[in-house]
Coordinates of all heavy atoms in Angstrom, one line a residue:
Chain B
G106 N 23.2 22.3 5.0 CA 22.7 23.0 6.2 C 23.6 24.1 6.7 O 24.0 25.0 6.0
K107 N 24.0 24.0 8.0 CA 24.7 25.1 8.6 C 26.2 25.1 8.1 O 26.8 26.2 8.0 CB 24.8 24.8 10.1 CG 25.2 26.0 11.0 CD 25.0 25.6 12.4 CE 25.5 26.8 13.3 NZ 25.5 26.5 14.7
T108 N 26.7 24.0 7.7 CA 28.1 24.0 7.1 C 28.1 24.8 5.8 O 29.1 25.5 5.6 CB 28.5 22.5 6.9 OG1 28.4 21.8 8.1 CG2 30.0 22.4 6.4
L109 N 27.1 24.7 5.0 CA 27.0 25.5 3.8 C 27.0 27.0 4.2 O 27.6 27.8 3.6 CB 25.8 25.1 3.0 CG 25.5 26.0 1.7 CD1 26.7 25.9 0.7 CD2 24.2 25.6 1.1
K110 N 26.2 27.3 5.2 CA 26.1 28.7 5.7 C 27.5 29.2 6.2 O 27.8 30.4 6.1 CB 25.1 28.9 6.9 CG 23.7 28.3 6.6 CD 22.9 29.2 5.8 CE 21.5 28.6 5.5 NZ 20.8 29.3 4.4
N111 N 28.3 28.2 6.7 CA 29.6 28.6 7.1 C 30.6 28.7 5.9 O 31.8 29.0 6.1 CB 30.2 27.5 8.0 CG 29.5 27.4 9.4 OD1 28.9 28.4 9.8 ND2 29.6 26.3 10.1
G112 N 30.1 28.5 4.7 CA 30.9 28.8 3.5 C 31.5 27.6 2.8 O 32.3 27.7 1.9
L113 N 31.3 26.4 3.3 CA 31.9 25.2 2.7 C 30.9 24.6 1.6 O 29.8 24.3 1.9 CB 32.1 24.1 3.8 CG 33.1 23.0 3.4 CD1 34.5 23.6 3.2 CD2 33.2 22.0 4.6
R114 N 31.4 24.5 0.4 CA 30.6 24.0 -0.7 C 30.5 22.5 -0.8 O 31.4 21.8 -0.3 CB 31.1 24.6 -2.0 CG 31.2 26.1 -2.0 CD 29.8 26.7 -1.9 NE 29.9 28.2 -2.1 CZ 28.8 29.0 -2.2 NH1 27.6 28.4 -2.2 NH2 28.9 30.3 -2.4
F115 N 29.5 22.1 -1.5 CA 29.3 20.6 -1.8 C 30.5 20.0 -2.5 O 31.1 20.7 -3.4 CB 28.1 20.5 -2.7 CG 27.4 19.2 -2.6 CD1 27.2 18.5 -1.4 CD2 26.8 18.6 -3.8 CE1 26.4 17.4 -1.4 CE2 26.1 17.5 -3.7 CZ 25.9 16.8 -2.5
M116 N 30.9 18.8 -2.1 CA 32.1 18.2 -2.6 C 31.9 16.8 -2.9 O 31.1 16.1 -2.2 CB 33.3 18.4 -1.7 CG 33.0 17.9 -0.3 SD 34.4 18.2 0.9 CE 34.2 19.9 1.2
A117 N 32.5 16.3 -4.0 CA 32.4 14.9 -4.3 C 33.2 13.9 -3.5 O 32.8 12.8 -3.2 CB 32.7 14.7 -5.8
D118 N 34.4 14.4 -3.1 CA 35.3 13.5 -2.3 C 35.0 13.6 -0.9 O 35.7 14.1 0.0 CB 36.8 13.9 -2.6 CG 37.0 15.5 -2.5 OD1 36.0 16.2 -2.3 OD2 38.1 15.9 -2.6
W119 N 33.9 12.9 -0.6 CA 33.2 12.9 0.8 C 34.1 12.3 1.8 O 33.8 12.4 3.0 CB 31.8 12.3 0.7 CG 30.9 12.8 1.7 CD1 30.4 12.1 2.8 CD2 30.3 14.1 1.8 NE1 29.6 12.9 3.5 CE2 29.5 14.1 3.0 CE3 30.4 15.3 1.0 CZ2 28.8 15.3 3.3 CZ3 29.7 16.4 1.4 CH2 28.9 16.4 2.5
E120 N 35.1 11.5 1.4 CA 35.9 10.9 2.4 C 36.7 11.9 3.3 O 37.1 11.7 4.4 CB 36.9 9.9 1.8 CG 38.0 10.5 0.9 CD 37.4 10.7 -0.6 OE1 36.2 10.7 -0.7 OE2 38.2 11.0 -1.5
K121 N 36.9 13.1 2.7 CA 37.6 14.2 3.4 C 36.9 14.7 4.6 O 37.4 14.6 5.7 CB 38.0 15.3 2.4 CG 39.1 14.8 1.4 CD 39.4 15.9 0.4 CE 40.5 15.4 -0.6 NZ 40.6 16.3 -1.7
P122 N 35.6 15.2 4.4 CA 34.9 15.6 5.6 C 34.6 14.4 6.6 O 34.7 14.6 7.8 CB 33.6 16.2 5.1 CG 33.5 15.7 3.7 CD 34.9 15.5 3.2
T123 N 34.4 13.3 6.0 CA 34.1 12.1 6.9 C 35.3 11.7 7.7 O 35.1 11.5 9.0 CB 33.7 10.9 6.0 OG1 32.6 11.3 5.1 CG2 33.2 9.7 6.8
S124 N 36.4 11.7 7.2 CA 37.6 11.4 7.9 C 37.8 12.4 9.0 O 38.2 12.0 10.2 CB 38.9 11.3 7.0 OG 38.7 10.3 6.1
R125 N 37.6 13.6 8.7 CA 37.7 14.7 9.8 C 36.8 14.4 10.9 O 37.1 14.6 12.1 CB 37.5 16.1 9.1 CG 37.6 17.2 10.1 CD 39.0 17.4 10.7 NE 39.0 18.4 11.8 CZ 39.2 18.1 13.0 NH1 39.5 16.8 13.4 NH2 39.1 19.0 14.0
V126 N 35.6 14.1 10.6 CA 34.6 13.8 11.7 C 35.0 12.6 12.5 O 34.9 12.6 13.7 CB 33.2 13.6 11.1 CG1 32.2 13.1 12.1 CG2 32.7 14.8 10.4
L127 N 35.5 11.5 11.8 CA 35.9 10.4 12.6 C 37.1 10.7 13.5 O 37.2 10.2 14.6 CB 36.3 9.2 11.6 CG 35.2 8.7 10.7 CD1 35.7 7.6 9.8 CD2 34.1 8.1 11.6
D128 N 38.0 11.5 13.0 CA 39.2 12.0 13.8 C 38.7 12.8 15.0 O 39.1 12.5 16.1 CB 40.1 12.9 13.0 CG 40.9 12.2 11.9 OD1 40.9 10.9 12.0 OD2 41.4 12.8 11.0
Y129 N 37.7 13.7 14.8 CA 37.2 14.6 15.8 C 36.6 13.8 17.0 O 36.9 14.1 18.1 CB 36.2 15.5 15.2 CG 35.6 16.5 16.2 CD1 36.3 17.7 16.6 CD2 34.4 16.2 16.9 CE1 35.7 18.5 17.5 CE2 33.9 17.0 17.8 CZ 34.5 18.2 18.1 OH 34.0 19.1 19.1
Y130 N 35.8 12.8 16.6 CA 35.2 12.0 17.6 C 36.0 10.8 18.1 O 35.6 10.0 18.9 CB 33.8 11.4 17.1 CG 32.7 12.5 17.1 CD1 32.3 13.1 15.9 CD2 32.1 12.9 18.2 CE1 31.3 14.0 15.8 CE2 31.1 13.9 18.2 CZ 30.7 14.4 17.0 OH 29.7 15.4 16.9
N131 N 37.2 10.7 17.5 CA 38.1 9.6 17.9 C 37.5 8.2 17.7 O 37.5 7.3 18.6 CB 38.6 9.7 19.4 CG 39.8 9.0 19.6 OD1 40.6 8.6 18.7 ND2 40.0 8.6 20.9
I132 N 36.9 8.0 16.5 CA 36.2 6.8 16.2 C 37.1 5.8 15.4 O 37.7 6.2 14.4 CB 35.0 7.1 15.3 CG1 34.0 7.9 16.1 CG2 34.3 5.8 14.8 CD1 32.8 8.5 15.3
N133 N 37.2 4.6 15.8 CA 38.0 3.6 15.1 C 37.2 2.7 14.2 O 37.7 2.1 13.3 CB 38.7 2.7 16.1 CG 39.8 3.5 16.9 OD1 40.5 4.3 16.3 ND2 39.9 3.3 18.2
S134 N 35.9 2.6 14.5 CA 35.0 1.7 13.7 C 33.6 2.3 13.8 O 33.1 2.6 14.9 CB 35.1 0.3 14.3 OG 34.1 -0.5 13.8
C135 N 32.9 2.3 12.7 CA 31.5 2.7 12.7 C 30.8 2.2 11.4 O 31.4 1.8 10.5 CB 31.5 4.3 12.7 SG 31.9 5.1 11.2
T136 N 29.5 2.4 11.5 CA 28.7 2.2 10.3 C 28.2 3.5 9.8 O 27.9 4.4 10.6 CB 27.4 1.3 10.6 OG1 27.9 0.0 11.1 CG2 26.5 1.1 9.5
M137 N 28.2 3.7 8.5 CA 27.8 5.0 8.0 C 26.5 4.9 7.1 O 26.4 3.9 6.3 CB 28.9 5.6 7.1 CG 28.6 7.0 6.6 SD 30.0 7.8 5.9 CE 29.3 9.4 5.5
V138 N 25.6 5.8 7.4 CA 24.4 5.8 6.6 C 24.3 7.1 5.8 O 24.4 8.2 6.4 CB 23.1 5.7 7.5 CG1 21.8 5.8 6.7 CG2 23.1 4.4 8.3
G139 N 24.1 7.1 4.5 CA 24.0 8.3 3.7 C 22.5 8.4 3.2 O 22.0 7.4 2.6
I140 N 21.9 9.5 3.5 CA 20.5 9.7 3.2 C 20.4 10.5 1.9 O 21.0 11.5 1.7 CB 19.7 10.4 4.3 CG1 19.8 9.5 5.6 CG2 18.2 10.6 3.9 CD1 19.3 10.2 6.8

Side-chain angles (χ1 to χ4, degrees):
Chain B
K107 198 175 178 188
T108 303
L109 175 63
K110 307 280 180 196
N111 291 342
L113 199 62
R114 301 297 187 172
F115 205 38
M116 55 185 73
D118 45 357
W119 206 249
E120 65 277 13
K121 291 178 181 167
T123 305
S124 296
R125 176 69 189 111
V126 173
L127 296 177
D128 290 344
Y129 179 85
Y130 286 104
N131 199 22
I132 294 169
N133 294 319
S134 168
C135 73
T136 296
M137 184 167 183
V138 176
I140 302 172

